[in-house]
Amino acid sequence: MIHVGHVRLFCTSPGPADGPALLLVHGWGGDGREWSPHAEALAERFRVIVPDLRGHGRSQVPEAGNTPAEMAHDLAALTDALGTGPVVAVGHSMGGQVVNLLAVHHPHTVRSVITLEPAHGAHGEEVAGIPARLDEYRTQGSRAAAAFVAGAFSAEAPAGLRTAHLRTVLGTPGHVLAQAYAGMYTDPGAVGVRPRSEAYLRRRAQHALTVWTSAEAAAWERTTLRTSGSRVDHWPGFGHYVHEEQPERTVRLIEEWADASVRR
């Protein structure tokens, strides 16, 4: 456990202490275990930082403040405490929003960004359904969240992956899930809905790579890029947990991007 402000975060840090630093951030209702195969492979060359976000996994569970913005502040304090220097910050889903907020609000901590299926750019029917989903998370907690998780995998997902995530989200406190969801989409300053996403992405100065399984989302995000060398990739045919459905491909992507980031 590492104290960062008023919370304690559980964090593992495999790899050489003097290696380039990678920060691997899980998503909503998950924990750092989802990065286990990636961390093991990447630790051969990189210092890999794998936290459980506040309210999740083995980290402390505050009664309030379980939002992406606060999580980004936690990670800034964590990287400072660990003395990593600027990291290549990698995030999935809500973790993608967290690492982008980290890049915008704590730019000294971030060398570059990789996000996979990030929790931003919501539009259309997805936005229309946000109030009802938030009400379900507030009243039903992890039971309602489990319904989203159960449907988030492709037919080609490895055996056991869905069950592992269902177990994890069902063990996540309901108030954390509701606060995090509101922090992504409905709280003042939330950046998950497309116009607000565009505004905050344009504030990000670091090189960035995003992976979407949706062609429409990929085309939209390409219009937000402002830093030369940034890009958006489209990986069709996979589920929301694309990094776990395609772990080896994801590791290669992170290695290549991190190597290029260090050389810049």
Side-chain angles (χ1 to χ4, degrees), residues 7-220:
V7 298
R8 298 186 308 277
L9 297 186
F10 179 81
C11 175
T12 56
S13 183
D18 59 349
L22 297 176
L23 176 69
L24 306 182
V25 183
H26 67 82
W28 182 73
D31 64 30
R33 286 176 294 183
E34 68 188 56
W35 289 108
S36 295
H38 315 79
E40 187 171 303
L42 292 164
E44 295 180 7
R45 296 178 44 227
F46 298 94
R47 181 181 185 185
V48 185
I49 315 301
V50 188
D52 288 354
L53 296 170
R54 62 162 64 199
H56 292 71
R58 293 161 179 78
S59 288
Q60 186 177 348
V61 182
E63 287 302 312
N66 296 289
T67 65
E70 291 301 322
M71 293 168 185
H73 297 326
D74 292 344
L75 295 185
L78 177 67
T79 58
D80 285 347
L82 294 175
T84 64
V87 300
V88 175
V90 185
H92 167 253
S93 192
M94 181 183 75
Q97 190 177 126
V98 171
V99 298
N100 275 316
L101 289 166
L102 180 67
V104 170
H105 295 294
H106 302 277
H108 73 283
T109 67
V110 177
R111 185 187 302 274
S112 68
V113 173
I114 302 173
T115 60
L116 303 107
E117 287 285 289
H120 61 226
H123 71 116
E125 292 183 3
E126 182 181 0
V127 173
I130 286 172
R133 284 192 292 273
L134 178 57
D135 183 64
E136 289 180 346
Y137 299 144
R138 284 173 170 162
T139 57
Q140 301 175 37
S142 62
R143 288 178 298 162
F148 164 79
V149 171
F153 301 89
S154 77
E156 304 304 316
L161 186 58
R162 179 183 285 105
T163 298
H165 274 279
L166 284 171
R167 285 177 58 85
T168 302
V169 75
L170 286 169
T172 305
H175 76 281
V176 171
L177 294 166
Q179 289 173 19
Y181 188 80
M184 285 188 276
Y185 297 110
T186 66
D187 284 353
V191 298
V193 175
R194 191 159 288 191
R196 291 185 176 181
S197 302
E198 291 171 351
Y200 103 104
L201 288 173
R202 291 193 172 111
R203 292 176 59 193
R204 183 185 59 195
Q206 299 86 343
H207 297 86
L209 166 62
T210 303
V211 174
W212 285 106
T213 61
S214 160
E216 188 280 333
W220 160 73

Side-chain angles (χ1 to χ4, degrees), residues 92 116-118 148-158 161-162 211-215 217 233-250 252-253:
H92 167 253
L116 303 107
E117 287 285 289
F148 164 79
V149 171
F153 301 89
S154 77
E156 304 304 316
L161 186 58
R162 179 183 285 105
V211 174
W212 285 106
T213 61
S214 160
D233 289 358
H234 176 217
W235 291 8
F238 303 111
H240 182 61
Y241 294 87
V242 62
H243 62 306
E244 292 183 275
E245 292 195 17
Q246 290 287 295
E248 294 179 359
R249 185 178 181 184
T250 301
R252 290 195 302 271
L253 183 83

